[in-house]
């Protein structure tokens, strides 16, 4: 959609509402990786625009998934799947998720 010579991206949600996408994928992934303390260059990393929430709380959000190296109990190497959801309208972090055993592990840089 073009408004005053500017292109605006809107998505139709399942509840019939429109949501404007103000945050582009590169900015959303940078924010998510900052929150998660991860990097995408050397690891598998994916970003996907999804619909999150329920009822009237549905909104468009980017879901970023990647892996981090960790040491469980400081001894055993492990790969930790981490993910974050970033609001496509405001750029705020909706949710960050790590495995249940993350508190037992020290994350590698």
């Amino acid at each position: 959609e073009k408004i005053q010579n500017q292109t605006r991206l809107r998505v139709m949600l399942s509840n019939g509402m429109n949501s404007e996408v103000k945050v582009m994928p590169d900015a959303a992934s940078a924010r998510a990786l900052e929150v998660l303390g991860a990097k995408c260059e050397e690891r598998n990393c994916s970003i996907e625009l999804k619909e999150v929430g329920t009822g009237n709380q549905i909104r468009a959000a980017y879901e970023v998934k990647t892996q981090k190296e960790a040491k469980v109990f400081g001894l055993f190497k492990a790969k930790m799947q981490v993910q974050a959801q970033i609001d496509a309208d405001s750029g705020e972090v909706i949710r960050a998720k790590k495995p249940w055993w993350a508190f037992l592990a020290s994350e590698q840089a």
Side-chain angles (χ1 to χ4, degrees), residues 84-103:
Q85 290 179 345
I86 308 295
D87 189 310
D89 184 33
S90 66
E92 72 181 50
V93 177
I94 298 170
R95 183 174 98 168
K97 184 178 174 186
K98 295 181 180 182
W100 69 268
W101 50 267
F103 73 96

Side-chain angles (χ1 to χ4, degrees), residues 13-65:
L13 302 174
S14 64
N15 63 359
M17 302 289 290
N18 284 327
S19 177
E20 186 172 350
V21 177
K22 294 179 182 174
V23 178
M24 292 296 109
D26 56 342
S29 65
R31 178 72 177 122
L33 295 173
E34 176 186 322
V35 168
L36 295 171
K39 296 179 184 152
C40 267
E41 297 90 34
E42 59 213 43
R43 296 176 179 87
N44 291 336
C45 186
S46 67
I47 184 166
E48 186 177 349
L49 184 60
K50 287 186 159 188
E51 189 176 278
V52 298
T54 57
N56 290 334
Q57 300 299 319
I58 292 177
R59 56 185 164 180
Y62 291 103
E63 185 172 82
V64 180
K65 295 180 183 179

